[in-house]
Amino acid sequence: MEHPFAITLDVGSSLANRTGSWRTSRPVYVKHLPPCNDTCPAGENIQAWLFRAEEGNYHLAWQEIMKNNPLPAIMGRACYHTCESVCNRARVDETVGIHAVERFLGDMAIANGWTVTIDKPVSGKKVLVVGSGPAGLSAAYHLTRLGHKAIIHEAAAQTGGLMRYGIPTYRLPRRVLDAEIARIEAMGVEVRLNRRVEDLGAAMAEEGADAVFLASGAQNTRLVDFPTDGSVQVRDAISLLREIEDKRAQLDIGKRVAVYGGGNVAIDAARSAIRLGAKEVIIVYRRTRATMPAHDFEVVEALEEGIELRVLRTIERIENGGLVLEERVLTDTNRSNPTGRFEYLEKVDTVVMALGQLVDNNSFLKGVPGLEFVGDGVKVDNLLRSGREGVWAGGDLIPAERNLTLAVGHGKLAARQIDAYLRGETYVHPPRGKIAKFEKLNSWYYADAPKTIQPALSLIRRQSGFEEVLGNLDESNALYEARRCMSCGNCFECDNCYGACPDNAIIKVGPGQGFEFKYDYCKGCGLCVTECPCGAIDMVPETI
Amino acid sequence: MEEMPREQQVKFYQKGTYTVGNRLVNAKSRAVQSSITRNNSLTSGHRACQGCGEALGARYAIDAAMRACNNRVMAVNATGCLEVFTTPYPETSWQIPWLHSLFGNAAAVATGVAAATRVKGKPEIRIIAQGGDGGTTDIGFGCLSGMFERNDDVLYICYDNEGYMNTGVQRSSATPPTARTATTPAVGKEPGNVFGTGKNLPRIAMAHGIPYVATASVAALHDLEAKVTKAMSFRGARYIHIQVPCPLGWGSSPASTINVARLSVKCGLFPLFEAERGEVTSSVPIRNPIPVIDFLRTQRRFAHLMKGGEENERKIAKLQAIADENIRRYNLVRKEV
């Protein structure tokens, strides 16, 4: 349009001026790895399922969990949630109660009978899984979703492994355990109970298995030798917990019980002893409370229940119905050294040994050709392959930190390996993104909100039986908790970049579709990067 | 008025409570700037520096006014950065009817445009006059005061970047004490702008007893939009004073423009409040207050204060006293926040 000089200009005619040419670096949308996802031993995409949960889309959230973890209701209770210890939200107020939301979703799935789909066509291949603990169940579940037939051989009379025979009911009610295992069995996993594998080759031939996942766990208790005059009953924690499960708490353990060890099993044993009617329970540990391997919140709950800690002590011998303890000192390198000073702990009815578990190397494992052992456990490479072709191993059976979540992760990794093996392919780990660090977030945009405290049962109720200690969140609390997630490193469509651009150089594509840069006009100021709450935009230098 | 829209105060919006949009709240509770159909009154291709606070503030304010008035808005612009970078002949970045005359007469021209709409019987067309702090607090002040006292039906918006930035960062009567500019260099006994000078235009506007006066910041978008919307609900003279950091003149990084504005609010040096007919009616409480030094150290114009020594500490304490006085006067730090 022709206009007289300096009188009228066409609206928006500045679009002819491509200011993008000023730019020396450009913003790009990225997805970084949230610390919770990075640290989860089961490889859950926590940010992704919280993103669905905060919409109130619980079914989708649950399905997102189920991509990696087949046992959300169990893990929401019994997992030690390392995700929460690295949650960036702790730097704003308190960590997100990830486990509580997971448990809420898991319970909702059980209540509604939600199931998952089988993703791949039937392959016709069979995989033998030895053991129905968390690792075995996880492997069988993932193998089934990948189209293979999984058959579990379980030596015990019931499924679940240490989830049933190790985790006390006050932490994991059996109806939850049964429901989640039943869902896996309903997918087509075959479980043969009371079937102890004696000869792996024969078991494979019997089932016509093309591959094996060994997950038979570590049931032997580590023992230390000290002299005893036989005046105090000595038993090991694992068999105690198993007996509690079998006899449903009809067990006399005495009035005054000492538990020897500082790990989670020691705490489980001590808290179980209280519930069996012991009046006094004393945990004897050779180092300090701060160096106990047990999780701190478990120790706190144990202390709340009246359990006594006797730290920097070892048991020297048993005599006259009591324990002779030796005082210890910690060196700078955290070694517990003897002092030569002794004290007497009188009138002890039972000593429970909880000093760790060992793999039974004398079992069928001995007869498997090619299988090697390292220290205490089966030797595997970083892809869980054993020395024998077609045989993978995981869970407590291999030398690693022994916990439920890691076992579930092992099951998944092994299943993906075995799937690739059965298809004649090689499994390649997908690349890991950069960690979404707190420094990359603009935390000003998150309103302070304290973590919802799970309603705890009263101490009295807790000490009198094996009822579950922690209550569930109700829906409004669960939604509240899910919405506290800061979505570290992943866009949650807050429109901040779109709003903060002084050059109107960002296109909002629409709900669920994110944003695009108009590089013709972006001057590269970086305001969008600074104002992105979750650190999902990076500046990268332009190639000139 | 709270900075957070009422709908967002319910406990379910912890994620991005203060963000521009939020997929979890209804569309009404989101900022105008989050809308795909926002007007983009000031569009791409303008020649403002990287990270320009004024370009941002102008789009925020005019888009909100357009939304509030069904797109029946005309703007009159004083000379200044905003005019120069948006409308270098033969281009303009404006997507609204827009008029420029002189540096000092924007308020008077707007009065005339408002009179014209009245004569033509089109009262639905709303008039905005806008300019920088130079065109408002110094050069256009006479015309502005006249517009106020006649209670002409115009919303005047001042985008305050605390100096004459496009001519090379000279001091204005809105430049804060101690700030280094080209005309108040950081040398001699009293480096930077001197204490005891300058004027507080929002309070002068209030003294005229006009229907509505407010301050706003590019770091508090929901509040800014709410104030513009509220201003458009009044007839008569209205005044909104928006602080817009200038990376060039303030010596701050272009990426930190909004953050610098946020720190300015958080330390109390730039109070957010509104007033009707000369009386303060509300203020925005500061969330997580900070000392002024945390604001000062983000900008090179205050770098000379950071060299230590008794004299510098005394000056920082005097700036802190100004902030403390604002906090007291506008009740900016409250228990409930």
Side-chain angles (χ1 to χ4, degrees):
Chain A
M1 228 191 297
E2 283 298 309
H3 301 300
F5 177 75
I7 298 299
T8 304
L9 300 172
D10 293 324
V11 291
S13 45
S14 65
L15 291 174
N17 186 26
R18 303 290 169 96
T19 52
S21 63
W22 303 12
R23 194 175 58 235
T24 54
S25 56
R26 65 165 60 194
V28 288
Y29 290 106
V30 290
K31 282 179 189 290
H32 289 316
L33 185 64
C36 51
N37 294 2
D38 177 55
T39 198
C40 177
E44 283 191 28
N45 190 345
I46 295 162
Q47 177 274 331
W49 61 256
L50 285 173
F51 185 81
R52 292 303 174 202
E54 69 173 19
E55 296 171 339
N57 203 335
Y58 304 123
H59 192 202
L60 223 51
W62 179 79
Q63 287 173 314
E64 185 63 48
I65 298 178
M66 294 295 284
K67 284 182 189 169
N68 296 298
N69 167 21
L71 309 166
I74 295 171
M75 300 260 274
R77 290 171 164 86
C79 171
Y80 290 116
H81 42 78
T82 46
C83 48
E84 294 183 27
S85 61
V86 295
C87 175
N88 280 329
R89 179 104 209 180
R91 307 268 292 266
V92 176
D93 40 40
E94 289 175 79
T95 64
V96 176
I98 296 167
H99 74 284
V101 182
E102 182 176 40
R103 171 181 163 177
F104 168 79
L105 293 169
D107 285 0
M108 185 173 255
I110 293 171
N112 290 303
W114 289 341
T115 53
V116 292
T117 51
I118 309 292
D119 311 315
K120 295 261 185 80
V122 175
S123 69
K125 305 279 187 182
K126 287 182 177 174
V127 181
L128 174 64
V129 176
V130 182
S132 70
L137 285 170
S138 168
Y141 163 87
H142 285 290
L143 285 165
T144 306
R145 287 194 83 169
L146 291 164
H148 310 296
K149 179 80 188 168
I151 301 141
I152 299 179
H153 282 200
E154 169 57 57
Q158 290 187 80
T159 49
L162 276 193
M163 294 188 290
R164 188 181 305 277
Y165 296 112
I167 302 174
T169 51
Y170 62 86
R171 284 212 289 135
L172 178 58
R174 296 303 181 248
R175 58 173 172 78
V176 173
L177 180 66
D178 292 340
E180 294 215 307
I181 294 176
R183 187 172 58 223
I184 294 172
E185 290 188 58
M187 289 167 68
V189 172
E190 270 181 54
V191 182
R192 313 213 195 288
L193 295 171
N194 300 310
R195 183 76 68 96
R196 183 179 293 277
V197 172
E198 303 291 350
D199 176 340
L200 187 64
M204 279 182 78
E206 177 199 334
E207 300 293 358
D210 302 284
V212 177
F213 179 56
L214 299 175
S216 49
Q219 292 92 358
N220 286 8
T221 297
R222 191 188 298 272
L223 294 171
V224 287
D225 235 4
F226 44 75
T228 173
D229 61 6
S231 58
V232 176
Q233 176 189 199
V234 180
R235 50 181 316 164
D236 73 272
I238 292 297
S239 72
L240 173 70
L241 292 168
R242 178 176 285 257
E243 208 172 320
I244 292 170
E245 177 66 21
D246 286 341
K247 295 188 178 167
R248 297 278 161 188
Q250 301 302 310
L251 204 62
D252 186 12
I253 194 166
K255 292 297 168 204
R256 196 162 142 92
V257 176
V259 176
Y260 196 22
N264 290 311
V265 173
I267 304 286
D268 283 345
R271 296 178 70 185
S272 294
I274 288 269
R275 287 163 175 79
L276 288 172
K279 294 289 175 235
E280 283 175 86
V281 176
I282 304 118
I283 292 177
V284 178
Y285 179 54
R286 69 196 161 103
R287 286 190 278 197
T288 59
R289 162 141 187 220
T291 54
M292 278 178 117
H295 291 272
D296 191 58
F297 67 89
E298 293 261 2
V299 180
V300 168
E301 287 181 2
L303 291 173
E304 282 171 6
E305 291 171 7
I307 289 164
E308 187 192 328
L309 286 187
R310 194 70 70 94
V311 295
L312 289 170
R313 298 286 186 279
T314 50
I315 297 177
E316 180 66 17
R317 61 184 179 274
I318 294 175
E319 64 183 27
N320 297 330
L323 306 177
V324 176
L325 304 179
E326 178 171 20
E327 284 183 40
R328 312 286 286 191
V329 283
L330 265 202
T331 66
D332 295 341
T333 53
N334 262 343
R335 277 182 61 87
S336 171
N337 279 357
T339 61
R341 291 192 298 273
F342 297 94
E343 67 184 24
Y344 188 61
L345 191 64
E346 57 175 14
K347 288 182 189 156
V348 176
D349 297 310
T350 308
V351 176
V352 180
M353 305 293 287
L355 297 164
Q357 292 98 256
L358 298 167
V359 171
D360 183 5
N361 290 352
N362 274 326
S363 66
F364 73 98
L365 299 165
K366 223 175 168 182
V368 180
L371 209 63
E372 292 174 62
F373 297 90
V374 53
D376 158 41
V378 172
K379 186 180 174 188
V380 291
D381 65 6
N382 63 345
L383 298 173
L384 303 180
R385 279 182 300 213
S386 76
R388 165 106 189 256
E389 200 200 318
V391 177
W392 282 257
D396 287 356
L397 189 60
I398 63 170
E401 195 193 329
R402 286 177 173 150
N403 70 53
L404 166 64
T405 321
L406 192 61
V408 169
H410 285 167
K412 178 179 78 169
L413 177 60
R416 292 184 179 170
Q417 301 284 333
I418 293 168
D419 174 58
Y421 170 78
L422 294 177
R423 293 177 195 281
E425 298 160 4
T426 312
Y427 178 79
V428 189
H429 260 303
R432 280 171 105 76
K434 277 197 298 178
I435 309 273
K437 295 210 167 88
F438 182 78
E439 290 68 28
K440 275 276 289 171
L441 311 182
N442 189 334
S443 63
W444 187 85
Y445 287 104
Y446 302 101
D448 304 359
K451 183 171 168 179
T452 306
I453 305 298
Q454 285 184 60
L457 287 175
S458 71
L459 281 180
I460 296 299
R461 248 189 103 193
R462 223 198 282 182
Q463 286 163 349
S464 61
F466 281 84
E467 285 164 279
E468 192 168 19
V469 169
L470 291 175
N472 204 349
L473 299 173
D474 64 21
E475 195 203 323
S476 66
N477 282 339
L479 198 61
Y480 175 80
E481 203 55 44
R483 286 174 176 183
R484 293 184 59 237
C485 170
M486 302 199 293
S487 198
C488 306
N490 289 272
C491 177
F492 62 95
E493 297 192 0
C494 73
D495 300 331
N496 260 19
C497 51
Y498 178 61
C501 177
D503 292 287
N504 188 28
I506 293 176
I507 299 165
K508 179 176 173 175
V509 184
Q513 298 173 75
F515 307 86
E516 287 169 12
F517 289 105
K518 285 193 271 186
Y519 289 115
D520 278 352
Y521 300 105
C522 168
K523 292 170 185 163
C525 69
L527 253 178
C528 51
V529 177
T530 318
E531 296 309 312
C532 177
C534 62
I537 310 174
D538 278 353
M539 283 309 263
V540 296
E542 288 287 353
T543 45
I544 301 168
Chain B
M1 185 188 317
E2 295 295 327
E3 188 183 341
M4 209 194 313
R6 188 187 306 275
E7 290 84 350
Q8 291 199 14
Q9 288 176 34
V10 297
K11 66 175 186 174
F12 293 134
Y13 300 103
Q14 293 77 18
K15 172 180 276 181
T17 301
Y18 299 91
T19 51
V20 172
N22 183 342
R23 68 194 185 102
L24 301 175
V25 295
N26 61 42
K28 264 188 162 175
S29 303
R30 301 175 200 166
V32 173
Q33 286 302 311
S34 80
S35 166
I36 288 183
T37 59
R38 76 184 186 200
N39 193 60
N40 287 320
S41 308
L42 178 54
T43 193
S44 311
H46 63 68
R47 291 155 198 239
C49 307
Q50 285 182 327
C52 175
E54 190 170 35
L56 204 54
R59 193 185 73 225
Y60 286 176
I62 304 300
D63 278 2
M66 289 285 278
R67 168 79 66 94
C69 304
N70 294 320
N71 299 336
R72 310 289 275 173
V73 172
M74 287 176 72
V76 177
N77 217 122
T79 303
C81 279
L82 186 61
E83 173 260 329
V84 170
F85 76 66
T86 61
T87 315
Y89 184 82
E91 293 166 1
T92 181
S93 316
W94 292 102
Q95 310 209 77
I96 54 165
W98 180 91
L99 234 142
H100 169 247
S101 172
L102 299 175
F103 210 148
N105 68 356
V109 172
T111 295
V113 177
T117 58
R118 197 170 64 242
V119 169
K120 289 208 152 208
K122 293 185 174 171
E124 74 279 10
I125 298 174
R126 306 302 302 274
I127 310 305
I128 291 175
Q130 56 183 355
D133 51 295
T136 306
T137 68
D138 294 343
I139 300 172
F141 183 66
C143 291
L144 180 62
S145 182
M147 185 199 105
F148 285 162
E149 65 88 8
R150 293 187 302 270
N151 198 25
D152 293 322
D153 188 16
V154 174
L155 166 63
Y156 193 102
I157 300 174
C158 171
Y159 304 103
D160 180 8
N161 58 18
E162 305 185 344
Y164 291 85
M165 299 318 190
N166 90 83
T167 51
V169 196
Q170 290 86 11
R171 174 200 177 276
S172 80
S173 58
T175 303
T178 73
R180 176 212 65 188
T181 68
T183 47
T184 57
V187 292
K189 267 188 159 174
E190 192 94 28
N193 194 28
V194 292
F195 279 96
T197 61
K199 51 179 106 155
N200 183 331
L201 209 68
R203 293 181 65 75
I204 294 171
M206 282 164 64
H208 288 77
I210 56 174
Y212 187 72
V213 173
T215 59
S217 166
V218 285
L221 176 62
H222 289 280
D223 178 61
L224 185 155
E225 290 187 349
K227 282 169 173 168
V228 170
T229 305
K230 188 166 184 184
M232 300 319 281
S233 71
F234 288 91
R235 290 281 174 175
R238 290 142 287 147
Y239 179 74
I240 295 181
H241 191 101
I242 304 175
Q243 191 180 45
V244 289
C246 170
L248 175 76
W250 294 19
S252 54
S253 122
S256 72
T257 297
I258 293 177
N259 192 45
V260 169
R262 184 179 300 130
L263 297 177
S264 174
V265 171
K266 278 170 78 170
C267 74
L269 281 178
F270 193 81
L272 298 178
F273 65 92
E274 54 183 354
E276 291 176 34
R277 307 206 176 277
E279 294 291 334
V280 174
T281 53
S282 81
S283 64
V284 178
I286 299 174
R287 190 160 62 95
N288 308 331
I290 55 164
V292 289
I293 191 161
D294 289 353
F295 163 70
L296 301 175
R297 67 159 60 98
T298 59
Q299 302 147 66
R300 283 199 303 280
R301 63 176 174 158
F302 297 118
H304 58 95
L305 293 177
M306 302 297 143
K307 288 178 180 162
E310 229 172 78
E311 190 55 23
N312 282 329
E313 275 176 27
R314 191 182 60 80
K315 291 202 171 100
I316 292 169
K318 277 176 89 171
L319 288 167
Q320 183 65 54
I322 295 173
D324 291 345
E325 176 58 14
N326 283 335
I327 289 169
R328 185 200 62 77
R329 176 179 278 156
Y330 301 104
N331 188 20
L332 299 179
V333 176
R334 300 177 208 156
K335 277 234 164 65
E336 69 266 31
V337 176

Short mmCIF file of all heavy atoms in Angstrom, two decimals, chain A residues 10 400 445:
data_model
loop_
_atom_site.label_atom_id
_atom_site.label_comp_id
_atom_site.label_asym_id
_atom_site.label_seq_id
_atom_site.Cartn_x
_atom_site.Cartn_y
_atom_site.Cartn_z
N ASP A 10 1.34 0.22 7.65
CA ASP A 10 0.49 -0.95 7.76
C ASP A 10 0.78 -1.68 9.08
O ASP A 10 1.94 -1.84 9.46
CB ASP A 10 0.74 -1.91 6.59
CG ASP A 10 0.28 -1.28 5.29
OD1 ASP A 10 -0.75 -0.57 5.33
OD2 ASP A 10 0.96 -1.46 4.26
N ALA A 400 24.81 -57.41 44.72
CA ALA A 400 24.34 -56.04 44.51
C ALA A 400 23.68 -55.62 45.80
O ALA A 400 23.55 -56.42 46.72
CB ALA A 400 23.33 -55.98 43.36
N TYR A 445 8.35 -20.13 40.71
CA TYR A 445 7.00 -20.36 40.19
C TYR A 445 6.22 -21.43 40.94
O TYR A 445 5.06 -21.64 40.69
CB TYR A 445 7.07 -20.71 38.70
CG TYR A 445 7.40 -19.50 37.85
CD1 TYR A 445 8.67 -19.30 37.33
CD2 TYR A 445 6.43 -18.54 37.62
CE1 TYR A 445 8.96 -18.18 36.58
CE2 TYR A 445 6.71 -17.41 36.87
CZ TYR A 445 7.98 -17.23 36.36
OH TYR A 445 8.27 -16.11 35.62
#
